[in-house]
Amino acid sequence: MRRNWGNWGEFDAPRGSKSKKPVELKEIGEFGLISWIRGKMDLRDSNIASGIGDDAAVITPPKRCVSLVTTDILIEDTHFRLDYTDPLRLGKKALSINLSDIAAMGGTPQYFLLSMGLPLHLPFRWIEEFFHGVQQVAEEYNLSLIGGDTSLARKLTINVTLIGRGKAGEVIYRKGAQAGDQIMVTGTLGNAALGLRILKSHKGDSSISRAGDSDLAELIEKHFSPTSRIAEGRLIAKNHLASAMIDISDGLMADLGHILEESHAGAKIWISQLPLSEAYRRKAPQYISRDIDLAISGGEDYELLLTTPRKKGEKLLGLFRQSGLKITPIGEIVDPRYGLRLLLDDGREYTPRRKGHDHFKKPR
Ligand code: ADP
Ligand code: MG
């Protein structure tokens, strides 16, 4: 099978060799690769008694804390296309999406395991770039790689398990939202989904993001390199400001739906309050007919969605303002019998075309 590795095959003629052929994984082997990874990712934490190299990692559990453990998988052609994803950004994203889950619990990330299913003809250069991305994020958040698994696979598969810590009394769950609570969201909505829509409409040619239009570049970058809201999550948890929280990976509607289900509650969302970036406002109407829909149901924003008791709302907004972080009230928790409704300014209900992402359902 001929595969399109983007440009990653071309670079890598081994030093001194006349061959144009890139070094492939099959020449390095599973154990060669593991020892290369081990050399590359230094451990920075005295609580790790043993990391890569034994049957299981040995870590000292944090004192007076609970462990937060989360995992996420990225599969070629399901979550990313090799021909328009570069390995550096994929490496960053593999960690960022897990960081987002730790952020949503109000925790601090610490260790990760990285498992990879790799095709035989993968150029080694691709793996080097991928680890470059992993390292960048690991350094930014002071994370240590403590193990993983490596196997041959038909489709490239990346799985990260991230372990973090939190204080038992600070951890924020999806359950806990109560009627009267305000609903708030960090950052802006819909950028990643619009970025993907733009890429698809240009047949995946990501060079359009370098064509000089800064709006397009910003939106596409948000699709490839989501930001994780660790600082925001910590600020909220430390000050006990949220009654429930989740990160938005499958779209506002779908993820708010999870809070409502776990909390046995209903919600009103005011469409005109949804925070949109300037780039989104300018570009969305060119790419979709009902331009608010991607902010309502587009996936991969990785913003935090939370509910806060009304008497804590002002404090929360004040703390975010002081810290230079963005958060916006967008609605209110109500009785469960009300369900989930999106409201226009004149009080009419708005029904978006699709509700959110579900891997096993066709988009509506
Ligand atoms: P086992 O046969 O017990 O699964 P492996 O030979 O797969 O052990 O792994 C040897 C060591 O290398 C283990 O400590 C494992 O955690 C680590 N390891 C394997 N693959 C990776 C990877 N992709 N990233 C980080 N560590 C890895
Ligand atoms: Mg193994």
Side-chain angles (χ1 to χ4, degrees):
M1 179 177 50
R2 265 190 77 80
R3 306 178 58 125
N4 180 359
W5 295 114
N7 291 324
W8 298 101
E10 293 162 16
F11 283 80
D12 209 17
R15 222 164 277 150
S17 119
K18 293 208 178 79
S19 158
K20 282 266 185 305
K21 248 173 86 66
V23 176
E24 291 181 356
L25 205 48
K26 61 180 185 194
E27 296 159 63
I28 290 160
E30 178 186 342
F31 298 104
L33 177 63
I34 294 174
S35 93
W36 177 84
I37 293 172
R38 190 176 179 177
K40 189 134 191 89
M41 306 294 295
D42 54 332
L43 297 179
R44 56 194 86 222
D45 191 320
S46 58
N47 291 317
I48 305 168
S50 172
I52 299 176
D54 218 314
D55 296 310
V58 182
I59 48 181
T60 311
K63 286 198 189 75
R64 288 187 293 278
C65 280
V66 292
S67 294
L68 305 170
V69 186
T70 184
T71 194
D72 255 310
I73 197 162
L74 290 172
I75 300 174
E76 177 187 346
D77 293 337
T78 301
H79 300 94
F80 63 93
R81 292 267 307 266
L82 268 177
D83 49 3
Y84 59 86
T85 305
D86 78 80
L88 184 121
R89 280 138 134 194
L90 192 66
K92 290 168 69 173
K93 187 166 183 170
L95 274 182
S96 301
I97 58 179
N98 282 281
L99 284 168
S100 181
D101 285 317
I102 298 289
M105 304 300 287
T108 303
Q110 294 178 284
Y111 314 114
F112 66 107
L113 296 108
L114 172 60
S115 296
M116 300 189 293
L118 302 171
L120 198 57
H121 296 288
L122 186 66
F124 183 61
R125 168 79 192 183
W126 194 99
I127 298 193
E128 279 188 304
E129 273 303 301
F130 174 83
F131 269 89
H132 229 114
V134 170
Q135 253 180 331
Q136 279 181 16
V137 178
E139 251 157 51
E140 186 178 344
Y141 291 94
N142 209 13
L143 311 173
S144 304
L145 177 60
I146 57 169
D149 201 16
T150 306
S151 168
L152 184 64
R154 292 239 176 94
K155 298 230 173 203
L156 210 146
T157 305
I158 309 285
N159 167 238
V160 168
T161 299
L162 184 61
I163 303 172
R165 62 169 195 276
K167 296 211 177 90
E170 289 183 3
V171 174
I172 306 163
Y173 299 88
R174 293 178 182 184
K175 62 183 181 209
Q178 299 214 338
D181 288 358
Q182 279 181 289
I183 302 171
M184 300 197 191
V185 69
T186 61
T188 56
L189 294 171
N191 292 335
L194 180 56
L196 178 62
R197 177 75 58 114
I198 292 168
L199 268 177
K200 282 183 171 162
S201 78
H202 290 83
K203 308 230 167 1
D205 178 8
S206 56
S207 68
I208 50 152
S209 68
R210 297 186 294 274
D213 184 327
S214 62
D215 285 346
L216 290 189
E218 179 186 328
L219 295 163
I220 290 170
E221 191 54 27
K222 195 72 175 144
H223 162 69
F224 283 126
S225 305
T227 31
S228 9
R229 301 298 185 192
I230 294 289
E232 287 83 344
R234 284 300 304 139
L235 187 64
I236 292 162
K238 188 162 79 192
N239 293 289
H240 304 275
L241 293 171
S243 48
M245 187 151 75
I246 193 169
D247 66 316
I248 304 182
S249 52
D250 298 329
L252 172 68
M253 281 281 272
D255 288 313
L256 178 56
H258 296 316
I259 287 190
L260 299 182
E261 206 172 304
E262 294 299 317
S263 302
H264 308 291
K268 282 179 189 171
I269 294 290
W270 301 297
I271 295 278
S272 65
Q273 303 301 308
L274 298 180
L276 307 175
S277 68
E278 291 300 317
Y280 185 98
R281 286 181 199 280
R282 285 191 287 261
K283 289 297 173 204
Q286 295 173 30
Y287 288 91
I288 68 166
S289 54
R290 303 214 285 177
D291 52 294
I292 197 67
D293 279 19
L294 285 178
I296 293 170
S297 46
E300 299 205 299
D301 280 319
Y302 298 106
E303 296 296 347
L304 296 178
L305 175 69
L306 58 130
T307 61
T308 185
R310 197 152 280 279
K311 60 180 194 300
K312 294 186 175 177
E314 278 309 312
K315 180 170 180 199
L316 197 159
L317 292 173
L319 278 175
F320 267 70
R321 220 176 295 126
Q322 273 169 29
S323 315
L325 301 171
K326 184 171 167 66
I327 193 159
T328 312
I330 58 168
E332 187 186 341
I333 295 292
V334 294
D335 189 275
R337 284 167 296 187
Y338 184 87
L340 166 54
R341 295 188 204 172
L342 304 165
L343 302 177
L344 298 162
D345 282 350
D346 59 11
R348 277 182 305 136
E349 193 178 340
Y350 179 77
T351 313
R353 289 237 170 86
R354 59 187 280 251
K355 295 259 152 61
H357 185 70
D358 180 325
H359 277 294
F360 298 105
K361 282 190 187 157
K362 287 215 174 88
R364 274 185 272 182

